[in-house]
Amino acid sequence: MPLTRKRILITGGAGFLGSHLCQRLLDEGNDILCVDNYFTGRKDNIAQLLGHQNFEAFRHDVTFPLYVEVDEIYNLACPASPIHYQFDPVQTTKTSVIGAINMLGLAKRIGAKILQSSTSEVYGDPTVHPQTEAYRGNVNPLGPRACYDEGKRCAETLFFDYHRQHKVRIKVARIFNTYGPRMHPNDGRVVSNFIVQALKGEDITLYGDGGQTRAFCYVDDLVDGLIRLMGTGADFTGPINIGNPHEIPVRELAERVIALTNSPSKIVHRPLPQDDPMQRCPDITLARQVLGWEPTVPLDEGLRRTIAYFEGLLAGDA
Ligand code: NAD
Ligand code: UDP
């Protein structure tokens, strides 16, 4: 049990990242309140936590006000996969913007510290590489990704205005591509897509020529970074990049997944989606300095663990 047990609200707690965060903070002896509308999250993700006396989950949409008493808030509620956030783009913007207003209003009323899960998408299709927190981004405000990118940018603005105007204690994390067990098998993100396709022996759908780059962070590392950020002193707000700086072309990810799964799958090319960023890699100098943090799980090891998870999931479906 920690020296001081905290009451912690996690919005989006039944999602991929949220469920890992719930688990970790519960293991550290805290009281966890998990709030989710189950748009992309699943009860299965938190099933193992439900019997725990310090864990409570309830269905709630963050676009509506919430009245609870907690010490800290991790605001993760928002679909993260392009397919899911583009499914109902108006709701995506509402979730980011109205959700931020509601959670910041809650933090203000009860004096809680609040962390925002922002994203590397605030940098859009970046012209600065790797991306530092000082870079202001290159976002198309009219395109199909804008509901997510601009929603997250506006949420950051709200966080800093509540901080300046109302002295709310804020932490803003800019999360880069993260993967691991409990990703939704059909959420369309590249790691889950490639692994599921490889395990089923289906074609691996590479968008464009696969020369676009990403840098993939294993979920345990990411969760560790978020918790360290929440623990920083009152004068540190972020924004701060949290991600793995090991950058690879998406084509190479496909090849690695095929090799690690020993799959007969072949790579097939599909059109590159509009506004798909051509390169992305975090500069994590600030995270190293302020959080003493950097990722520890190499890509192949993280992929092996994720493959094992999806093997179990697909075996259960069979
Ligand atoms: P996810 O889709 O698995 O989880 C999001 C969760 O939020 C789901 O459980 C969903 O049901 C819930 N949710 C959505 N709208 C809601 C609403 N209106 N009210 C209440 N709950 C709602 O995605 P994830 O990968 O776990 O992402 C979590 C957070 O981290 C998101 O805010 C996302 O923008 C951010 N992020 C993730 C990544 C990544 O690579 N995973 C990268 C950058 C940022
Ligand atoms: N991608 C791909 N095949 C897929 C899914 C995604 O080639 O089946 C590519 C996508 O075009 C992008 C990268 O993989 O360049 C990462 O996509 P993802 O949706 O995971 O996240 P993004 O970083 O684009 O938000």
PDB file of all heavy atoms in Angstrom, residues 96-120:
ATOM      1  N   SER A  96     -13.650  15.201 -26.797  1.00  0.00           N
ATOM      2  CA  SER A  96     -12.404  15.871 -26.420  1.00  0.00           C
ATOM      3  C   SER A  96     -12.680  17.214 -25.751  1.00  0.00           C
ATOM      4  O   SER A  96     -12.090  17.524 -24.715  1.00  0.00           O
ATOM      5  CB  SER A  96     -11.525  16.117 -27.654  1.00  0.00           C
ATOM      6  OG  SER A  96     -10.721  15.001 -27.898  1.00  0.00           O
ATOM      7  N   VAL A  97     -13.568  18.006 -26.363  1.00  0.00           N
ATOM      8  CA  VAL A  97     -13.715  19.397 -25.914  1.00  0.00           C
ATOM      9  C   VAL A  97     -14.668  19.496 -24.716  1.00  0.00           C
ATOM     10  O   VAL A  97     -14.300  20.029 -23.667  1.00  0.00           O
ATOM     11  CB  VAL A  97     -14.186  20.282 -27.091  1.00  0.00           C
ATOM     12  CG1 VAL A  97     -14.429  21.704 -26.613  1.00  0.00           C
ATOM     13  CG2 VAL A  97     -13.145  20.261 -28.203  1.00  0.00           C
ATOM     14  N   ILE A  98     -15.870  18.972 -24.872  1.00  0.00           N
ATOM     15  CA  ILE A  98     -16.832  19.057 -23.753  1.00  0.00           C
ATOM     16  C   ILE A  98     -16.357  18.154 -22.619  1.00  0.00           C
ATOM     17  O   ILE A  98     -16.477  18.493 -21.435  1.00  0.00           O
ATOM     18  CB  ILE A  98     -18.255  18.699 -24.221  1.00  0.00           C
ATOM     19  CG1 ILE A  98     -18.667  19.657 -25.348  1.00  0.00           C
ATOM     20  CG2 ILE A  98     -19.255  18.792 -23.064  1.00  0.00           C
ATOM     21  CD1 ILE A  98     -20.004  19.344 -25.985  1.00  0.00           C
ATOM     22  N   GLY A  99     -15.779  17.007 -22.992  1.00  0.00           N
ATOM     23  CA  GLY A  99     -15.217  16.119 -21.965  1.00  0.00           C
ATOM     24  C   GLY A  99     -14.147  16.842 -21.155  1.00  0.00           C
ATOM     25  O   GLY A  99     -14.102  16.738 -19.929  1.00  0.00           O
ATOM     26  N   ALA A 100     -13.278  17.579 -21.832  1.00  0.00           N
ATOM     27  CA  ALA A 100     -12.223  18.325 -21.113  1.00  0.00           C
ATOM     28  C   ALA A 100     -12.851  19.387 -20.210  1.00  0.00           C
ATOM     29  O   ALA A 100     -12.440  19.554 -19.055  1.00  0.00           O
ATOM     30  CB  ALA A 100     -11.262  18.963 -22.111  1.00  0.00           C
ATOM     31  N   ILE A 101     -13.848  20.097 -20.726  1.00  0.00           N
ATOM     32  CA  ILE A 101     -14.489  21.136 -19.902  1.00  0.00           C
ATOM     33  C   ILE A 101     -15.108  20.503 -18.651  1.00  0.00           C
ATOM     34  O   ILE A 101     -14.944  21.004 -17.530  1.00  0.00           O
ATOM     35  CB  ILE A 101     -15.558  21.894 -20.720  1.00  0.00           C
ATOM     36  CG1 ILE A 101     -14.878  22.750 -21.790  1.00  0.00           C
ATOM     37  CG2 ILE A 101     -16.446  22.756 -19.821  1.00  0.00           C
ATOM     38  CD1 ILE A 101     -15.823  23.405 -22.784  1.00  0.00           C
ATOM     39  N   ASN A 102     -15.803  19.389 -18.829  1.00  0.00           N
ATOM     40  CA  ASN A 102     -16.439  18.738 -17.674  1.00  0.00           C
ATOM     41  C   ASN A 102     -15.407  18.238 -16.658  1.00  0.00           C
ATOM     42  O   ASN A 102     -15.578  18.420 -15.450  1.00  0.00           O
ATOM     43  CB  ASN A 102     -17.326  17.579 -18.137  1.00  0.00           C
ATOM     44  CG  ASN A 102     -18.613  18.060 -18.768  1.00  0.00           C
ATOM     45  OD1 ASN A 102     -19.120  19.137 -18.414  1.00  0.00           O
ATOM     46  ND2 ASN A 102     -19.150  17.304 -19.708  1.00  0.00           N
ATOM     47  N   MET A 103     -14.344  17.630 -17.152  1.00  0.00           N
ATOM     48  CA  MET A 103     -13.347  17.077 -16.218  1.00  0.00           C
ATOM     49  C   MET A 103     -12.529  18.193 -15.565  1.00  0.00           C
ATOM     50  O   MET A 103     -12.156  18.104 -14.394  1.00  0.00           O
ATOM     51  CB  MET A 103     -12.431  16.080 -16.945  1.00  0.00           C
ATOM     52  CG  MET A 103     -13.138  14.814 -17.369  1.00  0.00           C
ATOM     53  SD  MET A 103     -14.042  14.056 -15.983  1.00  0.00           S
ATOM     54  CE  MET A 103     -15.698  14.125 -16.615  1.00  0.00           C
ATOM     55  N   LEU A 104     -12.256  19.258 -16.316  1.00  0.00           N
ATOM     56  CA  LEU A 104     -11.543  20.396 -15.721  1.00  0.00           C
ATOM     57  C   LEU A 104     -12.428  21.106 -14.694  1.00  0.00           C
ATOM     58  O   LEU A 104     -11.946  21.550 -13.645  1.00  0.00           O
ATOM     59  CB  LEU A 104     -11.102  21.368 -16.819  1.00  0.00           C
ATOM     60  CG  LEU A 104      -9.889  20.887 -17.634  1.00  0.00           C
ATOM     61  CD1 LEU A 104      -9.799  21.616 -18.972  1.00  0.00           C
ATOM     62  CD2 LEU A 104      -8.596  21.080 -16.839  1.00  0.00           C
ATOM     63  N   GLY A 105     -13.730  21.202 -15.009  1.00  0.00           N
ATOM     64  CA  GLY A 105     -14.659  21.808 -14.053  1.00  0.00           C
ATOM     65  C   GLY A 105     -14.710  20.994 -12.774  1.00  0.00           C
ATOM     66  O   GLY A 105     -14.730  21.548 -11.665  1.00  0.00           O
ATOM     67  N   LEU A 106     -14.695  19.669 -12.925  1.00  0.00           N
ATOM     68  CA  LEU A 106     -14.675  18.785 -11.753  1.00  0.00           C
ATOM     69  C   LEU A 106     -13.385  19.013 -10.944  1.00  0.00           C
ATOM     70  O   LEU A 106     -13.420  19.181  -9.727  1.00  0.00           O
ATOM     71  CB  LEU A 106     -14.772  17.328 -12.224  1.00  0.00           C
ATOM     72  CG  LEU A 106     -14.621  16.256 -11.159  1.00  0.00           C
ATOM     73  CD1 LEU A 106     -15.762  16.307 -10.155  1.00  0.00           C
ATOM     74  CD2 LEU A 106     -14.562  14.860 -11.811  1.00  0.00           C
ATOM     75  N   ALA A 107     -12.243  19.030 -11.665  1.00  0.00           N
ATOM     76  CA  ALA A 107     -10.951  19.221 -10.995  1.00  0.00           C
ATOM     77  C   ALA A 107     -10.924  20.551 -10.248  1.00  0.00           C
ATOM     78  O   ALA A 107     -10.421  20.642  -9.118  1.00  0.00           O
ATOM     79  CB  ALA A 107      -9.821  19.169 -12.018  1.00  0.00           C
ATOM     80  N   LYS A 108     -11.496  21.567 -10.870  1.00  0.00           N
ATOM     81  CA  LYS A 108     -11.518  22.900 -10.244  1.00  0.00           C
ATOM     82  C   LYS A 108     -12.360  22.866  -8.957  1.00  0.00           C
ATOM     83  O   LYS A 108     -11.947  23.367  -7.911  1.00  0.00           O
ATOM     84  CB  LYS A 108     -12.114  23.888 -11.250  1.00  0.00           C
ATOM     85  CG  LYS A 108     -12.262  25.295 -10.738  1.00  0.00           C
ATOM     86  CD  LYS A 108     -13.010  26.146 -11.767  1.00  0.00           C
ATOM     87  CE  LYS A 108     -13.578  27.387 -11.099  1.00  0.00           C
ATOM     88  NZ  LYS A 108     -14.684  27.961 -11.871  1.00  0.00           N
ATOM     89  N   ARG A 109     -13.530  22.239  -9.049  1.00  0.00           N
ATOM     90  CA  ARG A 109     -14.453  22.232  -7.909  1.00  0.00           C
ATOM     91  C   ARG A 109     -13.877  21.487  -6.718  1.00  0.00           C
ATOM     92  O   ARG A 109     -13.972  21.942  -5.584  1.00  0.00           O
ATOM     93  CB  ARG A 109     -15.784  21.600  -8.336  1.00  0.00           C
ATOM     94  CG  ARG A 109     -16.868  21.647  -7.269  1.00  0.00           C
ATOM     95  CD  ARG A 109     -18.189  21.119  -7.799  1.00  0.00           C
ATOM     96  NE  ARG A 109     -18.162  19.710  -8.110  1.00  0.00           N
ATOM     97  CZ  ARG A 109     -18.239  18.718  -7.219  1.00  0.00           C
ATOM     98  NH1 ARG A 109     -18.361  18.999  -5.943  1.00  0.00           N
ATOM     99  NH2 ARG A 109     -18.207  17.460  -7.598  1.00  0.00           N
ATOM    100  N   ILE A 110     -13.224  20.345  -6.994  1.00  0.00           N
ATOM    101  CA  ILE A 110     -12.775  19.505  -5.869  1.00  0.00           C
ATOM    102  C   ILE A 110     -11.277  19.660  -5.583  1.00  0.00           C
ATOM    103  O   ILE A 110     -10.749  18.999  -4.702  1.00  0.00           O
ATOM    104  CB  ILE A 110     -13.120  18.019  -6.118  1.00  0.00           C
ATOM    105  CG1 ILE A 110     -12.413  17.495  -7.371  1.00  0.00           C
ATOM    106  CG2 ILE A 110     -14.629  17.836  -6.238  1.00  0.00           C
ATOM    107  CD1 ILE A 110     -12.674  16.016  -7.669  1.00  0.00           C
ATOM    108  N   GLY A 111     -10.585  20.501  -6.365  1.00  0.00           N
ATOM    109  CA  GLY A 111      -9.152  20.724  -6.126  1.00  0.00           C
ATOM    110  C   GLY A 111      -8.278  19.546  -6.523  1.00  0.00           C
ATOM    111  O   GLY A 111      -7.187  19.372  -5.976  1.00  0.00           O
ATOM    112  N   ALA A 112      -8.738  18.746  -7.478  1.00  0.00           N
ATOM    113  CA  ALA A 112      -7.967  17.570  -7.904  1.00  0.00           C
ATOM    114  C   ALA A 112      -6.910  17.959  -8.941  1.00  0.00           C
ATOM    115  O   ALA A 112      -7.052  18.948  -9.655  1.00  0.00           O
ATOM    116  CB  ALA A 112      -8.905  16.516  -8.503  1.00  0.00           C
ATOM    117  N   LYS A 113      -5.884  17.130  -9.008  1.00  0.00           N
ATOM    118  CA  LYS A 113      -4.872  17.261 -10.060  1.00  0.00           C
ATOM    119  C   LYS A 113      -5.393  16.499 -11.273  1.00  0.00           C
ATOM    120  O   LYS A 113      -5.982  15.424 -11.107  1.00  0.00           O
ATOM    121  CB  LYS A 113      -3.578  16.647  -9.533  1.00  0.00           C
ATOM    122  CG  LYS A 113      -2.367  16.968 -10.311  1.00  0.00           C
ATOM    123  CD  LYS A 113      -1.072  16.792  -9.526  1.00  0.00           C
ATOM    124  CE  LYS A 113      -0.901  15.619  -8.615  1.00  0.00           C
ATOM    125  NZ  LYS A 113       0.498  15.319  -8.262  1.00  0.00           N
ATOM    126  N   ILE A 114      -5.165  17.025 -12.481  1.00  0.00           N
ATOM    127  CA  ILE A 114      -5.743  16.365 -13.662  1.00  0.00           C
ATOM    128  C   ILE A 114      -4.727  16.238 -14.787  1.00  0.00           C
ATOM    129  O   ILE A 114      -4.013  17.193 -15.101  1.00  0.00           O
ATOM    130  CB  ILE A 114      -7.027  17.105 -14.132  1.00  0.00           C
ATOM    131  CG1 ILE A 114      -7.630  16.424 -15.369  1.00  0.00           C
ATOM    132  CG2 ILE A 114      -6.779  18.594 -14.392  1.00  0.00           C
ATOM    133  CD1 ILE A 114      -9.040  16.872 -15.701  1.00  0.00           C
ATOM    134  N   LEU A 115      -4.692  15.033 -15.355  1.00  0.00           N
ATOM    135  CA  LEU A 115      -3.766  14.740 -16.463  1.00  0.00           C
ATOM    136  C   LEU A 115      -4.569  14.507 -17.740  1.00  0.00           C
ATOM    137  O   LEU A 115      -5.548  13.759 -17.735  1.00  0.00           O
ATOM    138  CB  LEU A 115      -2.942  13.496 -16.138  1.00  0.00           C
ATOM    139  CG  LEU A 115      -1.897  13.051 -17.158  1.00  0.00           C
ATOM    140  CD1 LEU A 115      -0.697  12.392 -16.443  1.00  0.00           C
ATOM    141  CD2 LEU A 115      -2.434  12.081 -18.210  1.00  0.00           C
ATOM    142  N   GLN A 116      -4.129  15.156 -18.810  1.00  0.00           N
ATOM    143  CA  GLN A 116      -4.776  14.988 -20.107  1.00  0.00           C
ATOM    144  C   GLN A 116      -3.950  14.074 -20.993  1.00  0.00           C
ATOM    145  O   GLN A 116      -2.742  14.287 -21.166  1.00  0.00           O
ATOM    146  CB  GLN A 116      -4.944  16.354 -20.793  1.00  0.00           C
ATOM    147  CG  GLN A 116      -5.342  16.315 -22.253  1.00  0.00           C
ATOM    148  CD  GLN A 116      -6.749  15.770 -22.512  1.00  0.00           C
ATOM    149  OE1 GLN A 116      -7.428  15.297 -21.592  1.00  0.00           O
ATOM    150  NE2 GLN A 116      -7.184  15.832 -23.749  1.00  0.00           N
ATOM    151  N   SER A 117      -4.619  13.056 -21.581  1.00  0.00           N
ATOM    152  CA  SER A 117      -3.930  12.220 -22.563  1.00  0.00           C
ATOM    153  C   SER A 117      -4.071  12.895 -23.919  1.00  0.00           C
ATOM    154  O   SER A 117      -5.013  12.648 -24.655  1.00  0.00           O
ATOM    155  CB  SER A 117      -4.515  10.812 -22.586  1.00  0.00           C
ATOM    156  OG  SER A 117      -5.870  10.847 -22.953  1.00  0.00           O
ATOM    157  N   SER A 118      -3.130  13.775 -24.212  1.00  0.00           N
ATOM    158  CA  SER A 118      -3.097  14.389 -25.532  1.00  0.00           C
ATOM    159  C   SER A 118      -2.319  13.456 -26.462  1.00  0.00           C
ATOM    160  O   SER A 118      -2.058  12.300 -26.110  1.00  0.00           O
ATOM    161  CB  SER A 118      -2.475  15.786 -25.459  1.00  0.00           C
ATOM    162  OG  SER A 118      -2.685  16.463 -26.684  1.00  0.00           O
ATOM    163  N   THR A 119      -1.933  13.947 -27.597  1.00  0.00           N
ATOM    164  CA  THR A 119      -1.455  13.030 -28.630  1.00  0.00           C
ATOM    165  C   THR A 119      -0.436  13.679 -29.555  1.00  0.00           C
ATOM    166  O   THR A 119      -0.445  14.912 -29.746  1.00  0.00           O
ATOM    167  CB  THR A 119      -2.663  12.550 -29.472  1.00  0.00           C
ATOM    168  OG1 THR A 119      -2.192  11.882 -30.639  1.00  0.00           O
ATOM    169  CG2 THR A 119      -3.533  13.713 -29.936  1.00  0.00           C
ATOM    170  N   SER A 120       0.383  12.851 -30.160  1.00  0.00           N
ATOM    171  CA  SER A 120       1.300  13.321 -31.202  1.00  0.00           C
ATOM    172  C   SER A 120       0.539  13.885 -32.398  1.00  0.00           C
ATOM    173  O   SER A 120       1.115  14.598 -33.218  1.00  0.00           O
ATOM    174  CB  SER A 120       2.175  12.157 -31.669  1.00  0.00           C
ATOM    175  OG  SER A 120       1.364  11.059 -32.037  1.00  0.00           O
TER     176      SER A 120
END
